[in-house]
Amino acid sequence: MTKSRIGALSAIVRAEGADAMLLTGEVGLIYATTVTALEGQCIVFADDTAIFITDGRYIEVAEQRLTPQGFQVLNRSSATPVTVYLERLLQAHQVQKLLYEDDTLTVQEFAALREQISCEFHPLGNRIAALRACKSEAEIAALKEQSGLQPGDALFFIADAKDAANKLGGLVRTEIANGLG
């Protein structure tokens, strides 16, 4: 499943005429890797390759979980600032145009990137959200299997505080039942 996600992210890079995409936010990282217990940065290139950069705290888990999925995993020394490490890596890959998650970086983080990294920055916008909204056949099959769905069943998700989610779920259930007669 992750290789198809790397491919989908690489397709965005190509469509935008960029060389690479930098993922730093939690949602983008989880989408790309399918792993929730990691910290780091991910660079996805136009040629369907991906690099995950982390430090010694997460390197073992990253290598175990991401290497089989096609990621190159790099261990960044905590003595080297992230922006310096990224600049060296992007220069080594001759990245000139870089897509970035404009909805997750703070002004200060973006300023640090622009100061340290010599390439053109282009906002990614809502492209990852659009990818997340469309489930692949493998993702749909996994949801069906994990939830035990049978023909005629429906599955929907609500994320909020427990009481609010329960209330909204009840309202949705009632509305669907009323619509069905």
Side-chain angles (χ1 to χ4, degrees), residues 35-93:
V35 179
T36 59
L38 290 176
E39 279 193 32
Q41 300 78 36
C42 181
I43 302 173
V44 179
F45 297 93
D47 66 357
D48 292 338
T49 60
I51 297 174
F52 189 83
I53 304 147
T54 192
D55 61 35
R57 299 172 296 162
Y58 299 96
I59 192 68
E60 186 175 330
V61 171
E63 287 174 340
Q64 289 173 355
R65 301 282 302 274
L66 301 181
T67 302
Q69 297 177 22
F71 284 87
Q72 178 183 359
V73 178
L74 301 179
N75 186 2
R76 178 186 63 82
S77 165
S78 58
T80 304
V82 172
T83 53
V84 172
Y85 194 87
L86 288 171
E87 168 65 4
R88 291 176 187 159
L89 187 59
L90 294 170
Q91 278 187 352
H93 286 269

Side-chain angles (χ1 to χ4, degrees), residues 1 4 20 43 48 70 75 79 84 91 99 103 123 133 145 148 157 164 168-169:
M1 184 173 354
S4 66
I43 302 173
D48 292 338
N75 186 2
V84 172
Q91 278 187 352
L99 298 175
D103 60 346
E145 181 181 330
F157 299 89
L168 182 58

Side-chain angles (χ1 to χ4, degrees), residues 14-176:
R14 290 188 298 275
E16 293 298 317
D19 301 304
M21 173 189 300
L22 174 63
L23 302 175
T24 57
E26 182 179 19
V27 172
L29 290 172
I30 292 171
Y31 177 79
T33 66
T34 71
V35 179
T36 59
L38 290 176
E39 279 193 32
Q41 300 78 36
C42 181
I43 302 173
V44 179
F45 297 93
D47 66 357
D48 292 338
T49 60
I51 297 174
F52 189 83
I53 304 147
T54 192
D55 61 35
R57 299 172 296 162
Y58 299 96
I59 192 68
E60 186 175 330
V61 171
E63 287 174 340
Q64 289 173 355
R65 301 282 302 274
L66 301 181
T67 302
Q69 297 177 22
F71 284 87
Q72 178 183 359
V73 178
L74 301 179
N75 186 2
R76 178 186 63 82
S77 165
S78 58
T80 304
V82 172
T83 53
V84 172
Y85 194 87
L86 288 171
E87 168 65 4
R88 291 176 187 159
L89 187 59
L90 294 170
Q91 278 187 352
H93 286 269
Q94 300 176 333
V95 172
Q96 295 178 7
K97 185 175 179 183
L98 181 67
L99 298 175
Y100 71 97
E101 294 175 288
D102 52 308
D103 60 346
T104 62
L105 290 175
T106 66
V107 172
Q108 183 178 4
E109 290 168 333
F110 183 62
L113 284 176
R114 288 189 61 134
E115 184 178 308
Q116 293 288 325
I117 297 174
S118 55
C119 64
E120 290 179 40
F121 287 86
H122 295 269
L124 188 55
N126 68 347
R127 289 174 186 84
I128 292 178
L131 288 176
R132 291 177 61 234
C134 298
K135 301 299 177 210
S136 69
E137 292 299 322
E139 290 170 316
I140 292 169
L143 286 170
K144 286 179 178 179
E145 181 181 330
Q146 291 170 7
S147 63
L149 282 178
Q150 299 297 318
D153 290 346
L155 178 66
F156 60 95
F157 299 89
I158 299 173
D160 205 331
K162 184 177 180 180
D163 290 342
N166 287 341
K167 181 177 180 180
L168 182 58
L171 293 170
V172 170
R173 182 186 62 238
T174 300
E175 185 67 26
I176 291 171

